[in-house]
């Protein structure tokens, strides 16, 4: 159907699509209701990964995937209101490809892949190659986001989001962090501080290198601060109605510092 | 034509007189989602209206072409300024606003053309096809610059140029020097009322050539006067009926879609419904005036105020609306609830090309309160005194003289209110364990306690109740007592707007208390009875409550005369003597009689201010509230969580104690919104955030526990001794929270709303 009417807009929870329709930002000739497509609405584990269907609502991610995908579950908890979390899912977040999408930082931090399907076949795209620009992605007109495949957590994960209200708020900036204590890698994802969600590659390399993975002591202030500064340096924020570029950079350095401390504390406890 | 499907009358049965808290008659309907709001109106064969608005804040209209819109199938009418049969002008105080723009648009969102079609989407699409040839002009967006001689004049007929009003207060002749002097400049951003029920209503043409308008509004008769003038029709032919109102807060004092729906209904001969969407609503009503306020306070070393000087500029936007009255309020209440021997205040209300501003809960007193309370904190710091002590030391009390020369002639327990909030136990300090919902940033997981600093701050404010400065302020009530179905029934009919505040409950409570009858029917509010004045200015309990009581007193007098003998009162459905002994059953005394009285009731008159000195008996009543705010601030991220917001308020008499607490909670929440999040951001005259995605109002996770003390110090001039309740808590909540954030951060914070950037900035 998507191939036959590529201008049809797929809709699941409608979190973004209905806002655009209601505000008359777009007038698609057709909507493609994904609500009753069973293949999209479940998740399963598969060889150390979770294959998460595109329409699994955030509320289920919070309730069912807190152990396997803790970073994504924490991000899902910050999405909108209970009503929105009952309807919205990761597929729509990716389809909109907003730099402020809450699911994106944990997908980047964990090295998730996005599954795209069309009559031409199925392809998978690494999350950090999915986004092209503000609300632009590699998703072709005849394709649907069908699932994301996320490695099961191999270490502590964190997600933190700054908004000017204590609930139901779009990110001014956000940060996802995933530690892999087996491979000793550090993953990052920055939200709402650039044209797309971003990874902070230099910060990842720095942390992977200097973190004392063997018999871990407490994290030093120097490491936490340097990590925060490298994350802030990776961002390319703008001034907009939700906050200034300078504030976003500053807040990201604080979020990165704090989340690394929390994650590292978990490593030590384990 | 028949009436549309809508909310009818409400019957209040059982008990609950003045001082009780009976359940609202519409409570269950509203909780179940079954209450019919104005957006739910429905009529067979109705059309839908839509509005074309200017995208430019300032432009000349060189041409208008409606032919493409008219060609859309399903469109019944496309109207422009040429189709306004009466005067194409309206306004609450100064008629200066066109129903549909003719040659110039003065703000983004100004209506230019209206369309009626058989489907709302068709109407919107057709409106978008109206072609407007604009010559875009530079907008005047800085209120101070608008007053300069070289600024473009936006309303050529206004004698003051871009000045709507200069309110000037000169009081006392003491020196403008003192031991301790503090100065400051404060800025208040543009707050929106953010009611949840958008502007909506339905006009139904009538066989007599007039029409019936079902409308969510704050003042039916003021709407009717303006509508009739624009339609060129006798007021008697324009009948208004209150439809279900989904919040108001001042935003429904001015007209929005009223005339538009009437024009389309008259042209098409069909009922026409207009409902704004959320984005359109941000352009459909006035907002709170943004303000820049410069203050200078002088005091002795002991902390006694010597003088207060202030200069304030209020940005009224493109049309006057209530700017003149708001300016008068900010000036007359500009020194706050404090005694100062010498006061000099100049307040300017100004035209610009920004969105029009007018009434919003607090009405000029909010802006001044943020500034003078910030100054009192600054003064306390300069004196090395506590913020409460310096306030109490200078607080007005009964008998004090205001900067207008007016003597405060009823209770003014300002010091006591401050002491009440100060002496409450503080909420416990944060423990070692944490719940994200109780930390700044909430569930967004931004801190586990790192960077979080607690602060405490105080605020107190003064608000006038009811209309001021010589306005002929009255309400009308018709009360009828008769036997129906074997029991006595009271009907109460007023034109007062129930906007959620609970007047429907209160009118029944008053009738029950005065007439001793359980069954009270509150008839729908409409213009078949005289004006009730506006549901604003914290005035309806006072003025419409006063009218209902006065009408009940006349009905009671007639019934007692019917009963004769020793009859002295009505209680429990009986006629009683002076000792309360039952003399007769009310049903028997009334028999077939219908006793009815209509009363027009006024509060004591006020006076206009002297234009040079600002002296005069301008306000009928003052009301006071004080807050203590406790906040946790994440000083590294600039995020705030208000931990507790305690309030003490004198309400004269708690007519309905539950409703009083509800008003105090709601007002405090609106003040919290202004303190930390609510602002319409306008750049170059263009609104950047016309949505609830980016215009943020507090959620349940932003509102803290609100312990409340209610004082009841009767005002002998007011019915039952009551004092208006709705606005005072909105004033002092904002400065108390900002003072607490200052205490936590050490930042100056001279602007509201406080943004994270202001807290972490250098």
């Amino acid at each position: 159907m998507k191939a036959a009417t590529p201008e049809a807009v797929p809709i699941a929870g409608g979190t973004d699509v209905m806002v655009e329709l209601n505000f008359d930002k777009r007038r698609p000739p057709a909507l493609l209701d994904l609500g009753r497509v069973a293949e999209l609405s479940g998740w399963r584990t598969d060889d150390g990964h979770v294959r998460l269907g595109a329409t699994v609502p955030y509320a289920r991610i919070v309730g069912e995937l807190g152990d396997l995908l803790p970073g994504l579950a924490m991000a899902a908890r910050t999405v909108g209101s209970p009503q929105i979390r009952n309807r919205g899912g990761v597929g729509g977040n990716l389809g909109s490809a907003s730099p402020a999408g809450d699911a994106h930082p944990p997908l980047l931090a964990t090295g998730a892949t996005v599954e795209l399907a069309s009559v031409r076949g199925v392809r998978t795209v690494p999350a950090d190659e999915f986004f092209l620009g503000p609300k632009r992605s590699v998703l072709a007109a005849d394709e649907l986001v069908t699932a994301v495949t996320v490695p099961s957590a191999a270490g502590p994960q964190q997600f933190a989001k700054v908004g000017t209200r204590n609930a139901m708020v779009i990110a001014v900036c956000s940060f996802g962090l995933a530690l892999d204590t087996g491979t000793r890698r550090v993953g990052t994802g920055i939200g709402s501080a650039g044209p797309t969600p971003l990874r902070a590659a230099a910060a990842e390399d720095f942390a992977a290198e200097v973190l004392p993975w063997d018999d871990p002591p407490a994290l030093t202030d120097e490491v936490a601060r340097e990590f925060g500064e490298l994350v802030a340096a990776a961002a390319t924020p703008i001034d907009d109605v939700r906050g200034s570029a300078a504030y976003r950079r500053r807040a990201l350095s604080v979020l990165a510092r704090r989340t690394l401390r929390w994650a590292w504390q978990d490593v030590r406890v384990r | 034509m028949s009436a549309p499907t809508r909310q009818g009358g409400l019957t209040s049965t059982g008990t609950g007189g003045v001082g009780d808290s009976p359940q609202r008659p519409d409570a269950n309907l509203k909780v179940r989602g079954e209450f019919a709001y104005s957006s739910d109106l429905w009529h067979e064969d109705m059309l839908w209206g839509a509005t074309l608005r200017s995208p430019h804040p300032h432009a000349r209209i060189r041409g208008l072409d409606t032919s493409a819109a008219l060609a859309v199938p399903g469109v019944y009418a496309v109207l422009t300024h040429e189709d306004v049969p009466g005067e194409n002008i309206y306004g609450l105080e100064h008629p200066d606003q066109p129903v549909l723009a003719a040659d110039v648009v003065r703000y983004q969102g100004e209506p230019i053309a209206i369309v009626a079609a058989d489907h709302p989407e068709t109407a919107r699409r057709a409106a978008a096809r109206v072609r407007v040839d604009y010559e875009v002009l530079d907008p005047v967006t800085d209120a101070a610059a608008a007053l300069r001689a070289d600024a473009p004049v936006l309303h050529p007929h206004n004698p003051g140029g871009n000045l709507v009003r200069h309110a000037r207060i000169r009081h006392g002749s003491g020196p403008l020097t003192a031991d301790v002097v503090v100065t400051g400049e404060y800025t208040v951003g543009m707050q929106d009322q953010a009611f949840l029920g958008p502007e909506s209503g339905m006009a139904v043409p009538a066989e007599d050539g007039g029409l019936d308008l079902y409308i969510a509004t704050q003042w039916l008769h003021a709407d009717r006067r303006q509508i009739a003038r624009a339609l060129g029709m006798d007021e008697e032919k324009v009948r208004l009926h209150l439809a279900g109102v989904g919040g108001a807060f001042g935003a429904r004092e001015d007209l929005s879609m009223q005339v538009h729906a009437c024009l389309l209904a008259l042209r098409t001969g069909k009922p026409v419904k207009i409902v704004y969407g959320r984005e359109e609503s941000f352009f459909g009503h006035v907002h709170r005036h943004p303000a820049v306020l410069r203050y200078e306070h002088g005091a002795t070393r002991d902390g006694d105020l010597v003088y207060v000087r202030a200069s304030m500029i209020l940005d009224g936007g493109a049309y006057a609306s209530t700017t003149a009255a708001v300016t008068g309020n900010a000036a007359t209440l500009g020194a706050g609830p404090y005694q100062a021997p010498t006061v000099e205040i100049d307040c300017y209300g100004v035209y610009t090309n920004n969105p029009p501003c007018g009434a919003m809960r607090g009405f000029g007193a909010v802006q001044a309160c943020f500034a003078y309370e910030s100054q009192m904190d600054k003064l306390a710091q300069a004196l090395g005194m506590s913020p409460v002590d310096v306030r109490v030391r200078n607080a007005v009390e009964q008998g004090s003289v205001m900067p207008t020369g007016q003597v405060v002639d009823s209770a003014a327990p300002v010091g006591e209110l401050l002491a009440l909030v100060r002496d409450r136990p503080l909420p416990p300090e944060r423990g070692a364990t944490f719940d994200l919902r109780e930390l700044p940033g909430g569930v967004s997981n931004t801190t586990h306690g790192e960077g979080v600093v607690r602060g405490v701050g105080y605020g107190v404010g003064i608000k006038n109740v009811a209309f001021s400065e010589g306005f002929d302020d009255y309400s009308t009530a018709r009360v009828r007592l008769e036997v129906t179905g074997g029991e006595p029934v009271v009907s109460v009919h007023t034109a007062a707007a129930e906007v959620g505040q609970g007047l429907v409950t209160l009118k029944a409570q008053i009738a029950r208390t005065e007439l001793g009858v359980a069954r009270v029917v509150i008839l729908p509010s409409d213009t078949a009875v005289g004006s009730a004045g506006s549901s604003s200015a914290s005035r309806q309990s006072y003025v419409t409550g006063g009218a209902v009581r006065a009408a009940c007193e006349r009905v009671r007098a007639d019934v007692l005369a019917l009963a004769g003998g020793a009859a002295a009162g009505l209680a429990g459905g009986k006629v009683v003597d002076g000792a309360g002994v039952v003399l007769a059953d009310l049903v028997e005394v009334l028999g077939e009689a219908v006793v009815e009285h209509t009363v027009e009731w006024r509060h004591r008159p006020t006076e206009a201010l002297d234009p040079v000195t600002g002296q005069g008996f301008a306000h009928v009543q003052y009301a006071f509230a004080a807050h203590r705010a406790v906040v946790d601030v994440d000083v590294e991220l600039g995020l705030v969580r208000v931990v507790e917001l305690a309030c003490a308020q004198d309400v004269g008499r708690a007519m309905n104690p539950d409703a009083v607490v509800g008003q105090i909670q709601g007002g405090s929440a609106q003040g919290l919104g202004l303190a930390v999040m609510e602002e319409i951001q306008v750049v170059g005259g263009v609104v950047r955030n016309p949505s609830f995605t980016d215009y943020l109002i507090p959620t349940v996770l932003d509102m803290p526990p609100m312990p409340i003390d209610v004082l009841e110090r009767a005002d002998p001039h007011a019915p039952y001794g009551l004092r208006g309740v709705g606005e005072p808590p909105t004033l002092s909540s904002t400065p108390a929270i900002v003072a607490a954030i200052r205490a936590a951060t050490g930042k100056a914070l001279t602007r509201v709303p406080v943004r994270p950037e202001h807290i972490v900035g250098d």
Side-chain angles (χ1 to χ4, degrees), chain B residues 722-760:
Chain B
L722 72 82
R723 204 175 284 286
V725 175
E727 293 171 287
T730 314
L731 274 57
S732 42
S733 158
T734 307
I737 291 166
V738 176
I741 302 173
R742 287 190 195 110
T745 62
K747 299 281 182 180
L749 304 179
T750 57
R751 183 186 197 286
V752 283
V754 175
R755 300 202 165 280
E757 290 95 309
H758 303 152
I759 294 173
V760 302

Side-chain angles (χ1 to χ4, degrees), chain B residues 500-540:
Chain B
Q501 81 278 45
L503 190 66
V504 282
T505 324
L506 187 62
K507 288 190 290 193
Q509 289 177 251
I510 291 172
R512 216 172 271 128
T513 289
E514 298 300 329
L515 298 175
V517 169
R519 192 171 180 81
V520 181
V521 177
I522 302 300
L523 295 170
S525 295
D526 56 35
T527 51
V529 64
S531 176
S534 181
S535 290
S536 63
S538 306
R539 68 179 280 286
Q540 282 297 26

